[in-house]
Amino acid sequence: MQGTQRILTIFGTRPEAIKLFPLVHALAGDSRFVSGVCVTAQHRGMLDQVLQISGVVPDHDLDLMQPDQTLDTLTANLLTGIGKVLDQEKPDWVVVQGDTATAMCGALAAYYRKIPVAHVEAGLRSGNIHHPWPEEVNRKIIGSFAALHCAPTETSARALIAENVDPATVHVTGNTVIDALQWITARIAADPVLASGLADLETRFAGRRIIGVTSHRRENFGEGMRAIAEAIRRIAARPDVAVIYPVHLNPNVRSVMQEQLAGLDNVALIEPLDYPHFARLIGLSYLMLTDSGGVQEEAPALGKPVLVMRETTERPEGVEAGTARLVGTDADRIVAETFRLLDDEAAYAAMARAHNPFGDGHSAQRIVDLLAARG
């Protein structure tokens, strides 16, 4: 098509798919672009769930997931696999999101071919290269050469400029995760069957305040994960609460949680949820306990306080705005901060009503317009 730009969007994990499908939709509906999608399937099953619900059909599927593969094996396979796709497609721009191995390798493969890279959710920094690991280094690598930095907030934009990134390439767009959440909640409202799989738990835990939990960070494996499990067990001893915990498939998580929490009456250890059901879980929950990045952005959009079970966060905006609180992985502190929100209505209301700093639902269109301006 004459006068159009060829855009190749590359992703491989469920969180990337959630944050990029609004952009893929926007690009596909815009005559200024020929839009292609390459997935690496770094996460196979969880990725496919998002592709199905969002209606995204990849043009290339590298299917690279292998059990227990090392990061260097994964990195080598990603670089060579994506490189072959780039040589075939010859895009004008490559779009990557966030800080996964797929994002870093997709950007690096494009750089090797002098293809400009647009980095969605650019500029997140914890300041510690080991927390989160290896994501902090992945995103710093992308940030060192991307041609367009789509920063979700002013804080992330300032972090890039502090690293001597050209300010003309840095733009605050908001976070596309809010676009995605608004899209899926509207779909659920129109068709509740999409998220009806939690109905039995809703009935089982009627009259109790539900605490949603996610935990899977590599840096928490071992002692941190055991402390998180202990905290959940102590919280669940209260008769007025219930815990719903979609347990990550990684055995470093699953074995610990099964050992400490299986069989407790008001703890539901369930399989990982697809995107509609996860959005429903946030909506059902009184508060969220998490070491995830995305939940720190999503839960405040639905008015749910977030206690972050990490020592650092690359999303300080939530902490500064009051929507999130860092509680680390000390069991005593996790329990104390959870009980404070359960027992202090004013403390809860202050977090639940705080302004969400991460977006307004129009981030994808802003990114599309930025790409068009560079045509």
Side-chain angles (χ1 to χ4, degrees), residues 30-182:
D30 194 314
S31 62
R32 295 173 293 183
F33 303 97
V34 173
S35 174
V37 172
C38 172
V39 299
T40 65
Q42 186 180 333
H43 292 168
R44 179 77 271 172
M46 292 187 287
L47 169 71
D48 289 346
Q49 293 170 359
V50 181
L51 295 176
Q52 182 176 9
I53 189 66
S54 65
V56 172
V57 179
D59 301 281
H60 302 271
D61 189 334
L62 301 182
D63 197 22
L64 291 178
M65 188 176 82
Q66 300 173 18
D68 300 321
Q69 65 184 328
T70 62
L71 283 174
D72 45 5
T73 300
L74 173 62
T75 299
N77 291 336
L78 287 167
L79 266 177
T80 54
I82 293 170
K84 290 176 183 176
V85 172
L86 293 179
D87 291 339
Q88 177 182 340
E89 289 287 337
K90 296 181 170 53
D92 298 304
W93 281 86
V94 161
V95 175
V96 298
Q97 186 278 328
D99 49 27
T100 66
T102 290
M104 186 270 287
C105 292
L108 195 58
Y111 168 74
Y112 287 160
R113 290 157 178 81
K114 297 185 178 179
I115 300 169
V117 172
H119 188 197
V120 177
E121 199 182 66
L124 275 64
R125 297 291 184 270
S126 72
N128 183 332
I129 64 170
H130 299 293
H131 294 272
W133 174 89
E135 287 83 359
E136 180 80 357
V137 165
N138 286 345
R139 55 185 170 233
K140 285 172 70 71
I141 290 171
I142 302 168
S144 68
F145 59 79
L148 177 61
H149 305 263
C150 302
T153 66
E154 292 287 351
T155 299
S156 49
R158 287 195 297 269
L160 288 163
I161 293 168
E163 294 175 356
N164 296 317
V165 171
D166 180 358
T169 67
V170 178
H171 299 268
V172 177
T173 60
N175 198 309
T176 53
V177 76
I178 307 303
D179 301 39
L181 188 64
Q182 291 182 359

